[in-house]
Amino acid sequence: MWPLTVPPPPLLLLLLCPGLAGQTLFQSPEEGWQLYTSAQAPDGKCICTAVIPAQSTCARDGRSRELRQLMEKVQNVSQSMEVLELRTYRDLQYVRSMETLMRNLDARLRAADGSLSAKSFQELKDRMTELLPLSSVLEQYKADTRTIVRLREEVRNLSSSLAAIQEEMGAYGYEDLQQRVMALEARLHACAQKLGCGKLTGVSNPITIRAMGSRFGSWMTDTMAPSADSRVWYMDGYYKGRRVLEFRTLGDFIKGQNFIQHLLPQPWAGTGHVVYNGSLFYNKYQSNVVVKYHFGSRSVLVQRSLPGAGYNNTFPYSWGGFSDMDFMVDESGLWAVYTTNQNAGNIVVSRLDPHTLEVMRSWDTGYPKRSAGEAFMICGVLYVTNSHLAGAKVYFAYFTNTSSYEYTDVPFHNQYSHISMLDYNPRERALYTWNNGHQVLYNVTLFHVISTAGDP
């Protein structure tokens, strides 16, 4: 499920498209999928990039937009005709009522034969006054005549446009074409969802959800919950806190309503908490202990020390705030990011067993943690920002699958100038941040490589 008011980001896909080298298929993402060639594989096959809009392709198709415009014109013409019909009926009734009056006046004038008494003259004058509105009615008739001519021309143009669209579409009707495109779009999106992972190539502009709480804190949704479960958890402050608010939906969180409170048995340190499969994972205050608190039973299921991990502001992020230990969830599971004395203050990434909290495997990234603003995991890759202040960018990436790293340059707009929490939600493919008392979302763009059917 996508957060409220938050549209889903486009998906970038690399497709092996034989025989399309140097050809641009779609040039405008507003018109539909953006599909263009970008490189050539060693085997001679061309590599194409497709940008898939989040909305229905049919909704952005040029023909669809033109048809909608034509439908709006038809509706406008229909409404104009209705108004014209009502007005004509009203005016016709008025003219008919005036017809009797005009005949009586005509008879009186003929009978007078040039001589009228003062009383008769006044009566005729009063009757003539009653006829004064008739001139405006006749003027309206003239205007309505011009309107009829204009409407007739619009109907003629609409007929020509519809005939042109029908000829362009060929044998298939529009509804049939729409269903075919929607089915293709669904298959492509399903394929992308199965792939799941990709390399981070872009971060959207920030989307402010709410301004609530102090300068530091964290908020999150459950990365493993079904799409129907949109609960939001809110934890204000970065040390000695115990109160966790659980909102029923994101909409309730925005409005500040429909929430319950959990009181943790042990206080937290930092803001690197995460909710995973119904449980909260957090760092116990003044210790290197990881605590797993289950919301359903309101109890601690397990807690365990993270061997050698620094705590109590020994190895925090650049902003401090007891951020020595940071817990994350991506497509592959639960992670801990921290530092030990043995690693000389460099970031360590450890894969944790979510049931026992045992360390399954660790990697030394070589990146000094005090130089990092914040960090997040996507598809087994640790991405690190170079600052928590304005001007920050995603600067470093460590790939756990190859134990290698690279320096990156992905712009990251830090709107409120002080990020104290940054976490990726794989279910929503969005970054959750706490920025100077503001709860903010960012959509991410991931680069995927897939092969078409029949390719190895």
Side-chain angles (χ1 to χ4, degrees), residues 118-175:
K119 181 180 179 181
S120 297
F121 179 80
Q122 185 60 43
E123 289 179 355
L124 287 174
K125 186 177 179 181
D126 293 340
R127 296 293 182 269
M128 292 297 295
T129 303
E130 294 180 24
L131 287 174
L132 287 177
L134 188 59
S135 60
S136 61
V137 172
L138 294 176
E139 288 298 323
Q140 185 64 60
Y141 264 122
K142 294 179 182 179
D144 288 346
T145 301
R146 292 191 293 268
T147 301
I148 291 173
V149 173
R150 178 177 59 81
L151 292 177
R152 185 183 296 116
E153 184 64 25
E154 286 192 24
V155 170
R156 185 182 298 112
N157 293 336
L158 287 172
S159 300
S160 300
S161 300
L162 289 170
I165 292 176
Q166 185 177 8
E167 182 179 355
E168 183 177 337
M169 286 184 169
Y172 296 111
Y174 179 76
E175 294 297 330

Side-chain angles (χ1 to χ4, degrees), residues 7-170:
L11 295 175
L12 288 177
L13 301 175
L14 272 183
L15 302 135
L16 298 181
C17 309
L20 295 177
Q23 182 179 1
T24 302
L25 302 183
F26 290 96
Q27 295 182 342
S28 172
E30 288 78 14
E31 295 296 332
W33 299 336
Q34 186 180 13
L35 183 61
Y36 57 91
T37 62
S38 57
Q40 190 170 21
D43 60 1
K45 294 178 180 177
C46 115
I47 300 177
C48 308
T49 302
V51 180
I52 308 172
Q55 298 180 358
S56 167
T57 298
C58 286
R60 293 177 177 232
D61 178 70
R63 298 291 86 185
S64 173
R65 185 169 60 252
E66 188 171 348
L67 277 175
R68 286 198 303 273
Q69 292 172 351
L70 291 175
M71 290 174 64
E72 290 174 1
K73 289 183 179 179
V74 169
Q75 185 177 10
N76 291 336
V77 170
S78 300
Q79 291 174 349
S80 298
M81 295 293 287
E82 289 177 4
V83 171
L84 191 60
E85 182 180 4
L86 289 173
R87 191 165 61 218
T88 302
Y89 177 79
R90 179 201 64 193
D91 293 343
L92 182 60
Q93 294 299 110
Y94 175 77
V95 170
R96 285 177 175 174
S97 67
M98 290 298 102
E99 185 178 5
T100 303
L101 178 61
M102 293 176 69
R103 288 177 177 174
N104 291 336
L105 284 173
D106 182 63
R108 293 281 299 274
L109 287 172
R110 291 179 185 276
D113 193 24
S115 61
L116 283 173
S117 65
K119 181 180 179 181
S120 297
F121 179 80
Q122 185 60 43
E123 289 179 355
L124 287 174
K125 186 177 179 181
D126 293 340
R127 296 293 182 269
M128 292 297 295
T129 303
E130 294 180 24
L131 287 174
L132 287 177
L134 188 59
S135 60
S136 61
V137 172
L138 294 176
E139 288 298 323
Q140 185 64 60
Y141 264 122
K142 294 179 182 179
D144 288 346
T145 301
R146 292 191 293 268
T147 301
I148 291 173
V149 173
R150 178 177 59 81
L151 292 177
R152 185 183 296 116
E153 184 64 25
E154 286 192 24
V155 170
R156 185 182 298 112
N157 293 336
L158 287 172
S159 300
S160 300
S161 300
L162 289 170
I165 292 176
Q166 185 177 8
E167 182 179 355
E168 183 177 337
M169 286 184 169

Side-chain angles (χ1 to χ4, degrees), residues 320-370:
F322 297 88
S323 56
D324 303 77
M325 297 168 63
D326 194 0
F327 303 102
M328 309 172 183
V329 171
D330 70 352
E331 292 79 359
S332 55
L334 178 66
W335 303 83
V337 170
Y338 57 99
T339 296
T340 68
N341 286 318
Q342 291 78 10
N343 293 92
N346 293 329
I347 291 178
V348 175
V349 182
S350 290
R351 182 80 183 277
L352 301 184
D353 184 318
H355 303 290
T356 65
L357 300 182
E358 293 180 348
V359 175
M360 301 166 63
R361 184 179 173 185
S362 295
W363 294 261
D364 183 352
T365 66
Y367 193 91
K369 192 165 186 288
R370 286 183 174 272

Side-chain angles (χ1 to χ4, degrees), residues 274-290:
V274 70
V275 175
Y276 180 57
N277 200 21
S279 295
L280 172 70
F281 296 80
Y282 70 96
N283 176 208
K284 180 182 175 182
Y285 180 60
Q286 289 189 330
S287 73
N288 63 0
V289 172
V290 185

Side-chain angles (χ1 to χ4, degrees), residues 253-285:
F253 173 69
I254 294 172
K255 297 175 183 177
Q257 64 184 20
N258 295 326
F259 64 87
I260 59 175
Q261 177 177 291
H262 299 270
L263 194 63
L264 301 178
Q266 294 136 336
W268 72 69
T271 59
H273 330 299
V274 70
V275 175
Y276 180 57
N277 200 21
S279 295
L280 172 70
F281 296 80
Y282 70 96
N283 176 208
K284 180 182 175 182
Y285 180 60

